[in-house]
Every structure is written in structure tokens, then in C-alpha cells.
């Protein structure tokens, strides 16, 4: 019998270590955590329905440790090794996101756990972007950027050894897992000494601030670490009250009784001192990239629900005359609320119309009283609507564990500031991304469908046992 530690437990260790490191690097993040904790405590104390829902889905216990991070990589080889590193923690590439049409020269995936039980142990996710060097329109600058990236090594030699050991043996013991966490953390640490010249940094910066953030540093420093709130509008107000400047609008859908997908906001990126490589020693400068972000997660939508969401979001943007800005923030939020007026704001309606994914859970008390009214063969998939109507089966929303490209681009752009390329005329290329990754990305909808289907089978099994 092996003494390997579970991948979910390694992920939980790593997430905790990452949070401690980021609090030391960005003290304002600690203030953000306290604000989110205060808002969440208030919601749970005053909204029994939300508390009961989180309890039923297993999310309540994970709420205070829930985080997502974001990193940006420069080379295909870095992405391929990052996939192997995350695999040690039971994190898989889920979904493909192309941010170039929104003016951000990257394409991305999210590394995360993929089954409900593992997610509830540790829902840590890392939105991982790969710089699209081909989108740098100046050939000389593109060559300099690629050369700079090839000069760096973002992984310690020991973490590579531990990844190889994991791949060979199928796991890590407690001691090796703890060493792996410490070594892996080094990849994500902030470095205030740049390996490139100030001149090259400024050239990259003029092309696009994100390009400078990727190319001009020793590694892919974590650029935000995001806690989950139960009321993002209260956090948005709370940031201002605490002297933290929030972005102009909350990205994603409008406020709803039944939250859908993902809503995000952030505080402005910090200006940090950096020492650049110079011909006669170091040159002082600054860099702005790392920021604080907060998210509120709702139910995962089906393809049908996603199409409706995209249509309504686009309508709000068209009516406003484009993406939200500080100048049009109020009008945009008004247009957004009006655009979504016909999107059902009731879980049963979302279920009946096939717009969202749900867990099926047995209501044991109702089952004991009412199952006698159903024949044995009526406790079946075909009769699930009747079982729900009878209150024997409860529906609980499956939380959206992924991201929204328009929202991600909006967060990036609001923290990168004005200037640089506004858009990129390029083809989305998932095949090239997957070649760089060394694997296929997993289909987001298939994961939610599998979780929903498994919960239905489990629910019917439990009901049949109760009936017997």
C-alpha cells in the first residue's frame, strides 16, 4: 500500500502557501480578504436560503479557502511544463479562451480539479495564459522578446525532479509533497530585478503592457489571487469605504436573485519599483501589473444558456456603444440590467428551460412520506420531473468553476491602463495552443454534464434504497 498524499491535499497545501506568499507581497490583498470575509459572514447570517444551498452542494466548507490565481507564460515549453506541474496537484486544463479579439495578445486555459468531491476539498484554479508572440507587429521587437524569454528558466531544478518522480511513481509522499509545494511556489514569486534593459522594457510596454509583464521578468509572478464573495456589490461598495479604488463596473451579468456564471471586480494594479539591467549597473524603474480581484460565482449555464447570455451581454454593449468604461459605467449597468430582463431568474425555470446545470438530491423526509405513491419502476430518469414536482428530489445549482473571456479581458484591460494595441486581427487557434500545452483542453460543458448525470444516478439509487 502506497503512502502517497492525495492530489487534492497537495493542491490545498499549495493554495494556502500561495495565499500566504501573496499577502506578504501585496499587503492590500490581506485587506481584501478581510472585506470579503466580513461580507460573506453577513450574507450567511441573514440569508438562510443561500446558507442552505451552499451546505447542500458542499461549498460552504470551502468558501473561506476558495481562490483563483492568474499567470502569464511566454513560451510553449513553459506551458507544457506548467501542465505537468499542475497535474501533480490534480489540476487539468479546462476550456480554451482567446483574448486577442478583446485586445489582449494571449490565449489561455484554466487549470483546475474536475470532479465535485475534489473541488470541494480545494477549488483552487489558475487561469493560465500563453503570450502570442506572433501578434507583436514589430519583427525586431518580436525577436528580442523571444530571445529574452529563452534566456530564463522559470522552474527550479528540484521541482522538475519532483514532477518526474511523481510521473514515474504515480504520487508523492507527505515529505516530498511539502518540498514540491515549496519549490513550485518559487515559480510564482515576485522578482523586483528584471533580466532585461529598461529600454527593452519600455519598447515592450509601448507595444502592450501585458507583453512587458510577461517578457521582462524572471518568472510568471502571480498577478492576482481572487477570493469568492457571496455579494460582490457589497464588496464593490466596501472597497471604496476602505480607501481601495475599485474598477468602474462589475464584469459579467447583472445582479440577480439566482446568480449565473461569474461576476468579477478588482482594485487598481499597484505601481511597484523594479531594477532593470543596465550597461553600467542597474537602472531604477516601475512596473504596474499586480492587482486584487474578487469574484461571485453562480450556477453553470448550458450551451443554450450560454448562447442566451452572450446575446444579452452583446446587446448591452452595443446599446452602450462598446465595452464599459469609467465614463459610461452608470449607463452600461442600466443597459445590462435591461438586456437581461428576460433571462429567467428562478432556478426551476432555468432547469425546465435547459439553461443551467443542477445537482439532483433526494429529499429524504419527503421521500419517506411520498415514495409510496410511486411504483418501483416510476423511480426513474423518465419520471424525474414528477419526483421534483412532488418534492422528493431537490435541485441545487452546480457552481460555475470556470471563466468568461470577455470578463477576463475586461479585468486585464482595466488594470493595464490605456494605450497599446486596442485589438488584434487574428484567428483563434486552439490547435496551436494544445500543441504548446502537450494535451487537449477538456470541454467545459462535458464536465458539468457529467457531474449532473452522476448526481442523478446517485439520487435515484438512494431513493430506491429508501423505498425498499
Amino acid at each position: 500500500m502506497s503512502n502517497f498524499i492525495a492530489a487534492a491535499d497537495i493542491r490545498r497545501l499549495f493554495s494556502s502557501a500561495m495565499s500566504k506568499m501573496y499577502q506578504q507581497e501585496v499587503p492590500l490583498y490581506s485587506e481584501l480578504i478581510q472585506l470579503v470575509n466580513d461580507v460573506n459572514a453577513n450574507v450567511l447570517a441573514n440569508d438562510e436560503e443561500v446558507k442552505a444551498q451552499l451546505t447542500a452542494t458542499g461549498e460552504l466548507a470551502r468558501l473561506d479557502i476558495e481562490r483563483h490565481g492568474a499567470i502569464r507564460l511566454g513560451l510553449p515549453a513553459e506551458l507544457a511544463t506548467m501542465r505537468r506541474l499542475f497535474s501533480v496537484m490534480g489540476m487539468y486544463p479546462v476550456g480554451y479562451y482567446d483574448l486577442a479579439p478583446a485586445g489582449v495578445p494571449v490565449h489561455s486555459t484554466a487549470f483546475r480539479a474536475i470532479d465535485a468531491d475534489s473541488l470541494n476539498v480545494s477549488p483552487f484554479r489558475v487561469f493560465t495564459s500563453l503570450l502570442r508572440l506572433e501578434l507583436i507587429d514589430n519583427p525586431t521587437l518580436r525577436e528580442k522578446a523571444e530571445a529574452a524569454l529563452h534566456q530564463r528558466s522559470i522552474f527550479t531544478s528540484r521541482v522538475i525532479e519532483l514532477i518526474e518522480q511523481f510521473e514515474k511513481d504515480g504520487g508523492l509522499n507527505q515529505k516530498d509533497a511539502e518540498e514540491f509545494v515549496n519549490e513550485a511556489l518559487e515559480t510564482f514569486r515576485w522578482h523586483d530585478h528584471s533580466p532585461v534593459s529598461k529600454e527593452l522594457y519600455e519598447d515592450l510596454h509601448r507595444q502592450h503592457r501585458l507583453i512587458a509583464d510577461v517578457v521582462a521578468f524572471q518568472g510568471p509572478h502571480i498577478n492576482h489571487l481572487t477570493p469568492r464573495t457571496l455579494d460582490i456589490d457589497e464588496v464593490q461598495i466596501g472597497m471604496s469605504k476602505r480607501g481601495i479604488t475599485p474598477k468602474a463596473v462589475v464584469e459579467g451579468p447583472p445582479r440577480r436573485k439566482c446568480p449565473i456564471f461569474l461576476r468579477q471586480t478588482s482594485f487598481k494594479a499597484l505601481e511597484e519599483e523594479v531594477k532593470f539591467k543596465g550597461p553600467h549597473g542597474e537602472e531604477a524603474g516601475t512596473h504596474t501589473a499586480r492587482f486584487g480581484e474578487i469574484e461571485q460565482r453562480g450556477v453553470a449555464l448550458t450551451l443554450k444558456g450560454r448562447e442566451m447570455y452572450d446575446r444579452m451581454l452583446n446587446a448591452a454593449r452595443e446599446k452602450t456603444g462598446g465595452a464599459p468604461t469609467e465614463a459610461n459605467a452608470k449607463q452600461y449597468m442600466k443597459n445590462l440590467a435591461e438586456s437581461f430582463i428576460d433571462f429567467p431568474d428562478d432556478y426551476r425555470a432555468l432547469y425546465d428551460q435547459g439553461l443551467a446545470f443542477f445537482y439532483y438530491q433526494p429529499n429524504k423526509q419527503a421521500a419517506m412520506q411520498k415514495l409510496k405513491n410511486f411504483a418501483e419502476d416510476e423511480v426513474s430518469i423518465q419520471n424525474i420531473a414528477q419526483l421534483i414536482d412532488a418534492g422528493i428530489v431537490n435541485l441545487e445549482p452546480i457552481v460555475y468553476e470556470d471563466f468568461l473571456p470577455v470578463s477576463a479581458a475586461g479585468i486585464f484591460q482595466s488594470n493595464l491602463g490605456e494605450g497599446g494595441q486596442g485589438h488584434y486581427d487574428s484567428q483563434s487557434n486552439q490547435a496551436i495552443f494544445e500543441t504548446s500545452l502537450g494535451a487537449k483542453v477538456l470541454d467545459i460543458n462535458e464536465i458539468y454534464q457529467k457531474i449532473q448525470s452522476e448526481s442523478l444516478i446517485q439520487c435515484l439509487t438512494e431513493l430506491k434504497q429508501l423505498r425498499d
Side-chain angles (χ1 to χ4, degrees):
M1 184 175 177
S2 73
N3 59 346
F4 294 150
I5 182 171
D9 291 327
I10 302 177
R11 185 169 69 252
R12 185 163 179 155
L13 282 173
F14 183 79
S15 175
S16 175
M18 176 83 84
S19 186
K20 287 175 184 173
M21 181 184 78
Y22 200 63
Q23 287 183 65
Q24 291 169 352
E25 292 182 350
V26 184
L28 203 53
Y29 170 67
S30 295
E31 180 76 15
L32 197 65
I33 294 294
Q34 188 56 57
L35 171 59
V36 168
N37 288 345
D38 291 346
V39 169
N40 288 352
N42 185 59
V43 171
L44 293 172
N46 293 287
D47 195 327
E48 286 299 323
E49 190 175 338
V50 168
K51 187 175 182 179
Q53 177 188 303
L54 292 172
T55 302
T57 59
E59 295 169 63
L60 185 61
R62 79 185 214 187
L63 186 62
D64 63 340
I65 63 166
E66 186 152 354
R67 300 286 185 275
H68 95 245
I71 57 171
R72 302 153 184 172
L73 303 171
L75 295 171
E78 294 176 350
L79 180 65
T81 304
M82 192 63 75
R83 174 184 58 79
R84 296 168 61 206
L85 183 147
F86 283 132
S87 180
V88 176
M89 296 184 273
M91 299 165 73
Y92 304 93
V94 178
Y96 172 76
Y97 305 86
D98 184 15
L99 274 60
V104 183
V106 300
H107 46 183
S108 316
T109 191
F111 286 96
R112 67 170 181 88
I114 57 175
D115 69 85
D117 289 341
S118 185
L119 282 161
N120 284 342
V121 172
S122 173
F124 183 58
R125 322 165 186 84
V126 181
F127 190 79
T128 303
S129 300
L130 177 64
L131 178 62
R132 297 184 67 176
L133 284 164
E134 77 275 11
L135 297 180
I136 300 176
D137 54 18
N138 181 322
T140 303
L141 184 61
R142 184 166 62 244
E143 288 173 11
K144 287 180 179 179
E146 189 167 5
L149 289 169
H150 279 290
Q151 289 297 311
R152 73 182 191 178
S153 177
I154 70 172
F155 304 98
T156 69
S157 57
R158 181 57 181 149
V159 84
I160 297 296
E161 290 173 1
L162 288 165
I163 291 169
E164 291 171 347
Q165 180 181 322
F166 171 86
E167 292 170 343
K168 179 171 67 75
D169 298 342
L172 296 176
N173 62 30
Q174 181 74 35
K175 178 177 174 294
D176 288 339
E178 289 174 0
E179 187 179 7
F180 167 83
V181 166
N182 290 333
E183 292 290 329
L185 208 60
E186 293 304 309
T187 295
F188 302 88
R189 193 177 296 282
W190 168 251
H191 298 278
D192 59 7
H193 286 67
S194 172
V196 307
S197 69
K198 191 175 183 182
E199 181 185 9
L200 177 56
Y201 171 83
E202 289 172 348
D203 287 344
L204 295 165
H205 194 276
R206 277 190 291 272
Q207 175 80 193
H208 197 292
R209 293 188 182 199
L210 184 140
I211 297 173
D213 184 60
V214 176
V215 176
F217 291 88
Q218 184 56 44
H221 42 260
I222 194 85
N223 59 65
H224 61 271
L225 204 55
T226 306
R228 177 182 172 187
T229 183
L230 300 176
D231 190 337
I232 201 163
D233 299 291
E234 279 302 309
V235 170
Q236 184 86 337
I237 294 166
M239 278 198 285
S240 296
K241 287 181 178 178
R242 297 188 186 209
I244 303 171
T245 304
K247 72 185 298 294
V249 300
V250 175
E251 297 284 347
R255 185 179 182 91
R256 295 164 46 87
K257 182 167 64 74
C258 299
I260 57 173
F261 267 159
L262 174 67
R263 302 182 73 207
Q264 296 169 290
T265 189
S266 67
F267 64 70
K268 295 293 186 180
L270 309 172
E271 186 175 43
E272 302 179 88
E273 293 183 0
V274 177
K275 295 288 193 300
F276 293 97
K277 203 172 180 181
H280 307 293
E282 295 179 328
E283 290 186 67
T286 61
H287 178 66
T288 304
R290 300 196 300 165
F291 57 93
E293 185 184 42
I294 312 94
E295 62 190 15
Q296 181 175 357
R297 292 185 173 268
V299 64
L301 300 186
T302 61
L303 278 174
K304 181 181 177 184
R306 177 59 180 265
E307 288 168 1
M308 182 182 288
Y309 171 85
D310 286 343
R311 189 167 63 248
M312 292 178 174
L313 181 69
N314 290 336
R317 289 181 169 233
E318 287 171 11
K319 192 173 180 180
T320 310
T325 64
E326 289 192 24
N328 67 19
K330 280 189 177 179
Q331 186 60 48
Y332 174 77
M333 294 308 288
K334 180 175 180 291
N335 293 342
L336 188 69
E338 290 173 355
S339 293
F340 275 81
I341 197 75
D342 292 327
F343 203 112
D345 199 7
D346 174 84
Y347 286 128
R348 184 61 194 268
L350 290 170
Y351 172 79
D352 287 342
Q353 294 180 39
L355 298 173
F357 292 103
F358 291 87
Y359 292 106
Y360 298 89
Q361 296 185 343
N363 181 335
K364 293 180 181 178
Q365 186 174 356
M368 298 298 287
Q369 298 172 348
K370 299 178 181 179
L371 267 181
K372 60 180 179 291
N373 300 324
F374 289 79
E376 185 175 350
D377 61 357
E378 290 179 325
V379 182
S380 64
I381 293 174
Q382 291 72 26
N383 278 19
I384 193 65
Q386 292 93 319
L387 292 166
I388 294 169
D389 290 338
I392 294 171
V393 171
N394 292 336
L395 293 171
E396 296 292 353
I398 297 176
V399 68
Y400 187 62
E401 305 281 356
D402 296 287
F403 299 90
L404 300 170
V406 172
S407 296
I411 292 284
F412 279 10
Q413 293 286 35
S414 70
N415 285 287
L416 293 167
E418 301 300 325
Q421 187 95 4
H423 67 279
Y424 291 91
D425 296 322
S426 69
Q427 293 296 312
S428 174
N429 203 322
Q430 183 171 336
I432 285 180
F433 183 84
E434 290 178 334
T435 298
S436 302
L437 182 69
K440 295 282 189 184
V441 298
L442 302 179
D443 183 273
I444 290 172
N445 289 287
E446 287 179 6
I447 292 171
Y448 293 117
Q449 185 61 61
K450 182 172 183 284
I451 291 172
Q452 178 173 282
S453 299
E454 287 175 348
S455 79
L456 175 56
I457 293 167
Q458 178 65 27
C459 178
L460 292 174
T461 300
E462 291 183 33
L463 288 177
K464 286 173 182 176
Q465 290 171 347
L466 286 170
R467 194 180 182 285
D468 294 343

